[in-house]
Amino acid sequence: MEFRQLECFLAVVEHGGIVRAAAALHLAQPSLTQSIKALEKELGIELFHRIGRGIALTPAGSALVKQARQVLRDADTVRASAAELAGAEVGQLQISAMSGCIYHPLLDLVSAFAKQHPEIPQRITEADSEQQLAEWVREGRVELGFGYLPAPGSSPSHPEPELDITVLGHDELCLVVPVELSAQLDDPIPLSGLPELPAIAVSRGAVARQTVENALRNAGVRTSLGVVTEHRELELPLVSAGLGMAWTTRASAEGSPSVDVAVHSLDPPVELTHGVLRRRGHLAPPAQAFLDLALSSAERND
């Protein structure tokens, strides 16, 4: 078995077919098809069902995806470690962050890393949920995942025995309301004195929503749901349009000057904890260097 065969297999999975995968790999379609067939023959299993002009993973193919990603990730780590011992700057930094909550320290880290390691390209992807973020790290699609963590003592939305979790800091959660209502509210606003507005919330299971619901429950407060969205970036525009109130971090609210909303602190304060997920074991040198940079930055800001 060759690494290239696994790369071809994963390309077909990730691009949804032979045609797009061949274009992404800059291969002729017959060459890619032959590579997949050779891998199937060597493994003695069928990886894809051929359905008309399309393909779909077989159960055996689905089971191979995680292992194939791990093999290629481990191979990249070995290459990068060997190059580091030889004094060469090689490899690629692959990280992911939560959609809608890429906090500004991460942007600072990306900039600082680029200055320190200009020869190492960075690939940053956005995850739609904490579950997806953990899955990408666990499967080896990325080495580091930055996002929000369940509060201590709460039930985690995704138990992760295979991952190491490091806390980097905390973000203040604020109440965001339409501007015309702001003058009627205290600042900070007591949880017991929330306006009678429907809540705009992200999907159930998200750490931010769990954190808000726990705080409201502890304060004996109930609210009505107005809009539930999977797209976190829609919360502020929906508030601005007068559809309700929402909870978001101060950094996110104040970092969107194009959206006309009012931001109020909460009493008692409510915080989200942000951190980094990584698979247990050795990290490739670029990822380790980025993690070290993140930890040193967190210590300075502590």
Side-chain angles (χ1 to χ4, degrees), residues 150-175:
S154 66
S155 300
S157 57
H158 47 81
E160 295 301 336
E162 301 174 31
L163 303 181
D164 282 333
I165 302 174
T166 303
V167 173
L168 295 178
H170 306 276
D171 295 329
E172 178 192 4
L173 268 176
C174 298
L175 181 71

Side-chain angles (χ1 to χ4, degrees), residues 2 18 109 156 196 251 263 285:
E2 299 178 357
I18 294 290
L109 291 174
E196 294 185 3
V263 183

Side-chain angles (χ1 to χ4, degrees), residues 6 26 49 105 110 149 162 184 187 190 198 230 272 276 282 295:
L6 294 178
H26 305 290
H49 292 301
V110 168
L149 310 176
E162 301 174 31
Q184 306 170 24
D187 193 11
E230 295 181 1
L272 284 177
V276 58
H282 184 69
L295 293 175

Side-chain angles (χ1 to χ4, degrees), residues 272-286:
L272 284 177
T273 300
H274 65 256
V276 58
L277 310 179
R278 52 162 292 186
R279 282 196 328 181
R280 292 181 176 170
H282 184 69
L283 283 174

Side-chain angles (χ1 to χ4, degrees), residues 25-295:
L25 294 173
H26 305 290
L27 283 177
Q29 292 179 35
S31 298
L32 179 56
T33 300
Q34 185 58 41
S35 178
I36 297 298
K37 288 182 177 179
L39 180 60
E40 289 179 320
K41 182 177 180 180
E42 185 168 351
L43 295 175
I45 56 176
E46 188 177 24
L47 299 174
F48 295 100
H49 292 301
R50 278 69 178 179
I51 306 172
R53 294 187 176 183
I55 58 173
L57 280 168
T58 64
S62 296
L64 181 62
V65 171
K66 179 180 177 180
Q67 285 78 8
R69 288 189 178 126
Q70 183 170 338
V71 167
L72 294 180
R73 172 63 63 196
D74 291 343
D76 286 342
T77 299
V78 170
R79 293 190 194 101
S81 298
E84 183 184 39
L85 291 173
E89 290 271 25
V90 299
Q92 177 178 252
L93 174 66
Q94 294 183 313
I95 63 177
S96 184
M98 284 294 304
S99 173
C101 62
I102 299 181
Y103 54 95
H104 63 277
L106 180 58
L107 302 182
D108 294 338
L109 291 174
V110 168
S111 176
F113 185 86
K115 293 176 181 176
Q116 294 180 15
H117 306 278
E119 301 305 315
I120 299 180
Q122 302 183 54
R123 180 173 178 266
I124 305 173
T125 55
E126 283 190 335
D128 292 330
S129 66
E130 285 85 7
Q131 290 84 353
Q132 185 179 69
L133 184 72
E135 179 183 348
W136 285 357
V137 176
R138 188 172 54 247
E139 292 184 351
R141 290 194 186 192
V142 298
E143 287 198 273
L144 302 174
F146 292 83
Y148 292 122
L149 310 176
S154 66
S155 300
S157 57
H158 47 81
E160 295 301 336
E162 301 174 31
L163 303 181
D164 282 333
I165 302 174
T166 303
V167 173
L168 295 178
H170 306 276
D171 295 329
E172 178 192 4
L173 268 176
C174 298
L175 181 71
V176 182
V177 298
V179 171
E180 58 270 20
L181 295 180
S182 180
Q184 306 170 24
L185 304 176
D186 296 328
D187 193 11
I189 181 171
L191 289 178
S192 58
L194 296 178
E196 294 185 3
L197 291 174
I200 297 167
V202 293
S203 300
R204 185 174 294 278
V207 168
R209 178 168 172 177
Q210 290 177 340
T211 301
V212 170
E213 289 179 345
N214 288 342
L216 295 178
R217 189 179 303 112
N218 291 337
V221 175
R222 296 180 62 88
T223 60
S224 61
L225 276 177
V227 179
V228 177
T229 176
E230 295 181 1
H231 306 287
R232 299 164 192 255
E233 65 276 10
L234 288 181
E235 286 184 293
L236 296 183
L238 289 170
V239 172
S240 180
L243 297 181
M245 60 183 177
W247 290 265
T248 188
T249 62
R250 182 171 293 277
S252 295
E254 296 181 348
S256 302
S258 61
V259 181
D260 195 18
V261 295
V263 183
H264 289 258
S265 297
L266 296 170
D267 182 21
V270 181
E271 288 186 336
L272 284 177
T273 300
H274 65 256
V276 58
L277 310 179
R278 52 162 292 186
R279 282 196 328 181
R280 292 181 176 170
H282 184 69
L283 283 174
Q288 186 62 58
F290 194 88
L291 179 59
D292 291 342
L293 192 63
L295 293 175

